[in-house]
Amino acid sequence: MFKLLSVTLVAATVLLVSTNNSNISLAGTCASKCGQGPIQFKPGQRIRVQVVNKTPNQIQLQKPSSTNPIPLNAGQELQMEQIEGTEPNTSLIFWNEMGLALQANISKPNFGTLRVELRPTWRSPGDRSLYIMDDGRVNIL
């Protein structure tokens, strides 16, 4: 009798636990559900950078050691001169004049263009720079 009660309790527990954990995922390919791959350009390719200020405030842009800070008003778009991808790890830094955090959304609308939309965000400290590495990969820091 004691063995029958123990076996019944164990079986009931296993059954109850297995039905409560019904959101088990099965492994498979991501052929249709893969996210967008990282943005990358061919090493050495000349890249045009479009920067769009989608914030309600003025922001500043600067390509270190090449330009002075460039003000970009709310809603304004700026085409940066072409940046050569073979420059040693090219970067573009940006900041909000009021110290508010920014989020950079990047896209590749065509073969040689990198579009950067700067938006306000609640994440602190937010994004502060765009980094194009020698191998053509684009990172947001």
Side-chain angles (χ1 to χ4, degrees):
M1 171 87 168
F2 182 69
K3 280 188 172 183
L4 182 60
L5 183 60
S6 297
V7 171
T8 305
L9 284 174
V10 169
T13 303
V14 169
L15 184 63
L16 183 64
V17 169
S18 66
T19 58
N20 283 343
N21 197 8
S22 62
N23 59 354
I24 296 173
S25 298
L26 299 175
T29 64
C30 66
S32 63
K33 297 180 183 173
C34 292
Q36 183 178 349
I39 292 180
Q40 185 167 359
F41 292 90
K42 183 178 177 182
Q45 177 182 351
R46 295 187 63 79
I47 302 166
R48 178 182 300 119
V49 179
Q50 296 176 338
V51 183
V52 183
N53 182 357
K54 297 277 188 168
T55 71
N57 304 311
Q58 186 180 74
I59 58 173
Q60 299 287 326
L61 305 169
Q62 184 175 12
K63 184 177 172 192
S65 73
S66 296
T67 64
N68 292 325
I70 301 167
L72 192 62
N73 294 319
Q76 188 178 2
E77 182 176 323
L78 175 70
Q79 296 268 356
M80 300 287 291
E81 75 262 5
Q82 293 189 349
I83 295 175
E84 190 172 327
T86 56
E87 290 182 35
N89 299 326
T90 303
S91 61
L92 176 68
I93 57 175
F94 43 85
W95 65 94
N96 182 299
E97 281 292 303
M98 299 176 64
L100 302 173
L102 297 172
Q103 178 181 2
N105 296 325
I106 59 174
S107 61
K108 187 177 177 182
N110 60 45
F111 177 74
T113 303
L114 176 65
R115 183 176 174 90
V116 183
E117 292 184 358
L118 299 173
R119 299 178 181 274
T121 185
W122 55 270
R123 291 182 313 137
S124 182
D127 300 328
R128 298 183 209 161
S129 65
L130 170 78
Y131 194 60
I132 304 171
M133 294 185 279
D134 291 344
D135 63 3
R137 289 183 291 156
V138 179
N139 288 331
I140 300 293
L141 306 171

